């Protein structure tokens, strides 16, 4: 799995877009970028993933740079319920079953 | 559609006691997993199953046993609980043919061993 670097914490005003960065400069060609979040006292929740194209679903958008060395998760209109720890994971779809989370970014949505 | 359900939500044990954690999923997923989460350690895989009747060890299997007698259930057993097993336990599942990195998690079981 490629090493990822995320800021330890971020704040965002309610209703604004939350942009969470992730650096993964050692990413290899067959590795995807996955994002999960963990709301306090709950299990991790899958958000979105991508390989090289930008992706959007009902929860978020994922922007991956052209060189794939970094990405940004965008929550377009953040609500208080989006307060959570967000994890960026970079790994291929092969290999072992173990899903490993780093330290993530603690996102706080400010009313 | 409940997804992944874990019971109990909380439990306190004394050292040496045994207990079983139950994970049930209603999504007809083939793969099921048990993780533990400790402060500063992240998630660690205990055991997993690739289908009914099968189990496999993860990275921290010692002190735990598992069984997958029915496709929808995955049981995690502690035969003789130790304080080091105080943790939050998460169950997860995924469907065959989907990326192995997309797993659906339950709400967790908070276990304290005194």
């Amino acid at each position: 799995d490629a090493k990822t670097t995320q800021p330890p914490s971020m704040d965002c005003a309610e209703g604004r877009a939350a942009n969470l960065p992730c650096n993964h400069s050692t990413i290899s060609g067959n590795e995807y970028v996955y994002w999960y979040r963990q709301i306090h006292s709950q299990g991790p929740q899958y958000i979105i993933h991508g390989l090289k194209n930008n992706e959007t679903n009902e929860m978020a958008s994922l922007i991956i740079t052209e060189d794939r060395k970094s990405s940004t998760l965008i929550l377009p209109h953040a609500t208080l319920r989006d307060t959570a720890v967000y994890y960026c994971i970079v790994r291929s779809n092969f290999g072992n079953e173990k899903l490993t989370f780093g330290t993530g970014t603690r996102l706080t949505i400010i009313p | 559609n409940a997804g992944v359900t874990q019971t109990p939500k909380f439990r306190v044990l004394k050292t040496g006691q045994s207990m079983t954690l139950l994970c049930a999923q209603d999504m007809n997923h083939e793969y099921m997993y048990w993780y533990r989460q400790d402060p500063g350690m992240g998630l660690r895989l205990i055991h997993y199953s690739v289908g009914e009747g099968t189990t496999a060890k993860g990275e921290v299997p010692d002190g735990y046993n598992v069984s997958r007698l029915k496709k929808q259930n995955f049981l995690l057993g502690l035969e003789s609980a130790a304080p080091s097993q105080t943790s939050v336990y998460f169950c997860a599942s995924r469907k065959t043919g989907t990326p192995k990195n997309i797993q659906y998690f339950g709400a967790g079981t908070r276990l304290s061993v005194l």
Side-chain angles (χ1 to χ4, degrees):
Chain A
D1 300 356
K3 178 178 168 55
T4 61
T5 303
Q6 299 178 251
S9 64
M10 293 180 63
D11 292 340
C12 178
E14 187 177 16
R16 304 296 295 268
N19 296 276
L20 293 95
C22 180
N23 286 321
H24 32 81
S25 59
T26 61
I27 190 170
S28 61
N30 66 349
E31 289 184 319
Y32 288 72
V33 180
Y34 287 83
W35 283 85
Y36 276 77
R37 72 180 182 184
Q38 189 169 20
I39 297 170
H40 182 62
S41 299
Q42 297 184 24
Q45 178 188 23
Y46 163 77
I47 301 173
I48 197 168
H49 76 284
L51 182 63
K52 55 183 178 181
N53 298 320
N54 298 338
E55 302 287 344
T56 296
N57 64 19
E58 66 279 2
M59 290 182 67
S61 295
L62 174 61
I63 308 298
I64 302 173
T65 58
E66 190 169 348
D67 63 7
R68 303 209 321 125
K69 293 184 177 181
S70 65
S71 60
T72 302
L73 178 74
I74 302 172
L75 308 178
H77 303 287
T79 71
L80 297 179
R81 288 181 296 180
D82 292 321
T83 292
V85 179
Y86 288 77
Y87 298 97
C88 170
I89 302 165
V90 174
R91 66 191 311 247
S92 76
N93 287 338
F94 305 99
N96 62 46
E97 294 291 330
K98 182 183 66 172
L99 197 59
T100 302
F101 291 75
T103 54
T105 296
R106 183 172 298 278
L107 175 67
T108 302
I109 306 302
I110 310 297
Chain B
N1 189 341
V4 179
T5 304
Q6 294 184 232
T7 53
K9 289 183 171 51
F10 303 93
R11 186 69 186 270
V12 178
L13 290 178
K14 294 181 180 178
T15 297
Q17 287 185 319
S18 63
M19 78 162 294
T20 300
L21 282 65
L22 170 64
C23 176
Q25 52 94 6
D26 61 2
M27 299 176 283
N28 202 34
H29 286 177
E30 289 78 17
Y31 287 74
M32 296 188 74
Y33 309 83
W34 276 108
Y35 291 89
R36 60 178 289 175
Q37 186 174 40
D38 303 298
M41 297 290 292
L43 280 177
R44 290 184 291 171
L45 182 64
I46 305 171
H47 287 280
Y48 66 97
S49 168
V50 303
E52 182 178 324
T54 73
T55 63
K57 293 181 180 180
E59 62 179 313
V60 289
D62 294 342
Y64 305 94
N65 56 75
V66 287
S67 64
R68 184 97 181 269
L69 299 179
K70 294 183 178 181
K71 184 178 184 179
Q72 64 267 32
N73 295 336
F74 195 28
L75 278 63
L76 178 71
L78 286 72
E79 292 185 344
S80 179
S84 60
Q85 294 178 304
T86 293
S87 188
V88 181
Y89 291 85
F90 289 103
C91 176
S93 71
R94 75 171 177 94
K95 188 167 183 58
T96 300
T98 61
K100 63 178 56 183
N101 302 313
I102 300 178
Q103 298 178 13
Y104 296 88
F105 286 79
T109 295
R110 282 150 187 79
L111 175 67
S112 293
V113 183
L114 306 178

